[in-house]
Amino acid sequence: MAITWFSLFLSLLLLLHGYFAQHQRYQQQQGQCQINRLNAQQPSFQMLAEAGYTEFFDLNNQQFQCAGVSVFRHVVQSKGLLLPSYTNSPILAYVVQGRGFYGLMNSGCPETFQSSQKIQRFQDRHQRIEQFRQGDIMAFPAGTAHWVYNEGNEELVLVFLEDASNNANQLDQVAWRIFIAGKPHRALQHQGRQYGGRSYGNVFSGFDIEILSEAFGVCRETARKLQGQDDMRGHIISVQEGLKVIRPPFSQEQEQQQHGQYDPMNGIEETICSAKVRQNIDDPSHADIYNPHAGRFTTINSFTLPILRFLKLSASRGVLYRNSMMAPHWYSNAHSIVYITRGESRMQVVDHRGQAVLDDRVREGQFIVVPQNYAIVTQSGNGGCEWITFNTNDNAMINTLSGRTSAIRGLPVDVIANAYQISRDEARSLKFSREETLICPVSTRSLPPYEGVVSA
């Protein structure tokens, strides 16, 4: 009986410890979101490799810590291979430029791609490979090994977001990447100056060679090469002859999607092996909101890409034509991590105290974090602006402050008149003047000059 009571006491103690640990982590993250000032973020350093480099943004920046995410940018040369690796947190990636193909490896998933022995001397079998192109969103679950290859003639540019605060990560709130091949961190570069950096081994480098030899049934020399101790190419390597793999043509993949082969509502539950992990967000015909005079706005969430329900992430794509505006709005259930892919715009962000924490020009290649419930407005100049937004919720809810579906539009005229101390005619004008939903053109005289605009 005493043992039973002791077991119950121990179980309760562990339960309370887990609760307080989770509560403490929540409080820490809440404290990190007490931001008085936002700044557009540039890469802080590069990790160089044989066939490209990776640019990292400051992991210790308060904005990224608030959102619990890490962001970085891969630049892969033609015929470059980003070596296989896996992470402790889910990834959402956007293809800024280029095309290629990638593979995901999950233990237990079938090797559905295989060659014919009639054609090749040695038959190859491997898990599914998919092609991608500019404008694609790709979703990689935590712990799923993946690799990427650039088969185009131009540089491949990928923007990655890792959600370290996701429930899938049970380590500290830092995104970790574990390589299966190669020897990452060939060299580091900061503000044009190159440093020796620190080299890390791949996951095999910590195992004994004899153990690896037995585990794979290979000779000691092959087992030693698994560890990559003498490999100085870095995490992105060059494949001079081109990568030869088994894969369907890109047009066939598109045809399969158009004919509903990947339809999540076909009555067959998706598994991690067959789940659709890629969708294009750049196609104007897929826009959720479109204004021929101002721009468009497109979202991808767990309804359009069901695997995002598992990752708890979503994305949106904004395109503003010259002299246009995305109306003031806020996300009620998600942080927003915005990356400018082309052009520039003036962004204003207002916090819960009604204070402007950002009033600045944000340019191509920069990130900005907008915490949950902070209001934001984006205004393009003569060159227009395009961006991709990663949201920390699989169905991010947007609320507008002006326009046809806004909070102001939902109020009675008398409430507006009394709340703002204006006449009923002024209240009607405030409520009904804008018929656009989210994106609208603005007159050039209402655009403030970019010169002199500084961070608040």
Side-chain angles (χ1 to χ4, degrees):
M1 186 69 177
I3 295 177
T4 303
W5 279 109
F6 178 75
S7 300
L8 288 173
F9 173 74
L10 184 60
S11 299
L12 180 61
L13 186 65
L14 291 172
L15 180 64
L16 289 173
H17 174 75
Y19 168 77
F20 286 121
Q22 183 70 21
H23 183 64
Q24 183 181 14
R25 180 182 180 186
Y26 173 77
Q27 284 184 320
Q28 288 175 346
Q29 186 173 352
Q30 288 296 101
Q32 291 169 345
C33 286
Q34 302 304 314
I35 296 176
N36 297 319
R37 178 175 178 173
L38 296 175
N39 292 290
Q41 295 298 304
Q42 299 273 17
S44 55
F45 68 92
Q46 294 179 341
M47 186 167 75
L48 307 179
E50 178 187 54
Y53 57 90
T54 298
E55 294 179 311
F56 293 87
F57 292 74
D58 186 6
L59 303 179
N60 297 318
N61 182 271
Q62 189 182 19
Q63 298 174 69
F64 296 128
Q65 290 184 345
C66 166
V69 302
S70 298
V71 294
F72 48 95
R73 182 167 55 213
H74 290 303
V75 178
V76 184
Q77 296 172 7
S78 178
K79 297 183 180 178
L81 173 65
L82 178 62
L83 291 174
S85 63
Y86 60 94
T87 61
N88 63 331
S89 49
I91 293 174
L92 211 54
Y94 174 73
V95 184
V96 179
Q97 172 185 297
R99 61 184 178 88
F101 51 88
Y102 65 94
L104 302 180
M105 296 87 74
N106 286 292
S107 294
C109 289
E111 299 167 334
T112 54
F113 286 27
Q114 53 186 312
S115 60
S116 172
Q117 285 181 322
K118 294 180 180 179
I119 300 175
Q120 296 182 346
R121 181 179 176 186
F122 298 103
Q123 185 180 25
D124 188 19
R125 298 188 301 271
H126 53 72
Q127 292 184 20
R128 188 179 65 180
I129 291 176
E130 290 192 10
Q131 293 186 269
F132 61 82
R133 59 187 172 97
Q134 181 175 321
D136 277 352
I137 288 285
M138 299 182 291
F140 302 149
T144 297
H146 55 274
W147 54 268
V148 176
Y149 177 71
N150 178 9
E151 70 169 344
N153 295 322
E154 62 179 344
E155 284 187 335
L156 171 65
V157 181
L158 302 167
V159 175
F160 274 46
L161 175 136
E162 294 185 14
D163 183 14
S165 62
N166 193 281
N167 290 335
N169 175 25
Q170 298 186 25
L171 299 173
D172 51 14
Q173 200 170 343
V174 176
W176 297 96
R177 178 172 292 272
I178 299 93
F179 279 87
I180 300 177
K183 189 177 182 181
H185 289 214
R186 178 185 177 189
L188 299 179
Q189 183 168 291
H190 175 65
Q191 295 180 348
R193 296 182 60 186
Q194 187 166 315
Y195 301 89
R198 180 180 177 185
S199 293
Y200 293 86
N202 65 49
V203 71
F204 295 118
S205 62
F207 289 107
D208 182 80
I209 290 179
E210 293 291 346
I211 294 293
L212 292 176
S213 177
E214 288 292 336
F216 284 91
V218 295
C219 67
R220 294 182 78 258
E221 179 60 21
T222 300
R224 189 185 68 82
K225 289 184 177 180
L226 275 176
Q227 298 180 329
Q229 297 299 331
D230 302 325
D231 192 343
M232 301 303 295
R233 298 174 297 172
H235 63 297
I236 306 174
I237 66 170
S238 179
V239 184
Q240 296 295 334
E241 301 300 322
L243 205 60
K244 297 176 176 59
V245 296
I246 310 159
R247 57 191 173 96
F250 194 50
S251 58
Q252 182 177 335
E253 287 188 8
Q254 290 178 315
E255 184 180 351
Q256 288 171 346
Q257 293 186 34
Q258 290 171 357
H259 285 77
Q261 179 167 328
Y262 299 113
D263 186 359
M265 307 303 291
N266 61 4
I268 301 176
E269 188 67 25
E270 260 189 352
T271 68
I272 196 66
C273 298
S274 62
K276 177 185 174 185
V277 298
R278 174 183 55 82
Q279 183 165 317
N280 194 273
I281 199 172
D282 272 11
D283 190 341
S285 65
H286 296 161
D288 298 300
I289 296 172
Y290 175 70
N291 185 323
H293 305 292
R296 64 181 187 271
F297 186 73
T298 311
T299 60
I300 289 180
N301 54 33
S302 57
F303 294 105
T304 55
L305 191 61
I307 196 172
L308 295 180
R309 188 177 296 113
F310 177 60
L311 272 60
K312 303 301 180 185
L313 295 170
S314 58
S316 59
R317 173 74 164 151
V319 175
L320 285 181
Y321 304 153
R322 58 177 300 182
N323 302 333
S324 298
M325 173 188 290
M326 186 167 179
H329 64 278
W330 77 93
Y331 280 95
S332 60
N333 61 349
H335 300 305
S336 301
I337 300 89
V338 183
Y339 177 77
I340 307 299
T341 60
R342 190 190 68 81
E344 61 182 26
S345 67
R346 181 185 181 185
M347 281 190 180
Q348 289 184 302
V349 179
V350 177
D351 68 8
H352 60 287
R353 300 162 300 181
Q355 301 294 317
V357 292
L358 174 74
D359 185 357
D360 205 353
R361 177 168 47 181
V362 184
R363 302 176 177 86
E364 180 178 335
Q366 293 182 324
F367 269 104
I368 192 75
V369 176
V370 183
Q372 176 186 2
N373 288 319
Y374 280 37
I376 178 175
V377 62
T378 304
Q379 205 170 46
S380 67
N382 290 329
C385 184
E386 299 179 11
W387 68 91
I388 186 76
T389 300
F390 302 105
N391 295 115
T392 57
N393 191 296
D394 63 290
N395 187 24
M397 305 290 290
I398 192 170
N399 293 275
T400 54
L401 285 166
S402 66
R404 184 160 47 87
T405 59
S406 68
I408 296 296
R409 190 67 173 259
L411 292 173
V413 169
D414 268 11
V415 172
I416 296 174
N418 283 277
Y420 298 107
Q421 300 183 46
I422 57 179
S423 68
R424 288 174 58 85
D425 287 341
E426 290 173 317
R428 274 191 288 268
S429 176
L430 183 68
K431 180 175 179 177
F432 295 109
S433 288
R434 278 291 184 191
E435 286 300 320
E436 296 91 350
T437 303
L438 185 62
I439 294 177
C440 60
V442 294
S443 59
T444 53
R445 56 186 172 83
S446 71
L447 289 170
Y450 276 139
E451 291 74 23
V453 177
V454 297
S455 297

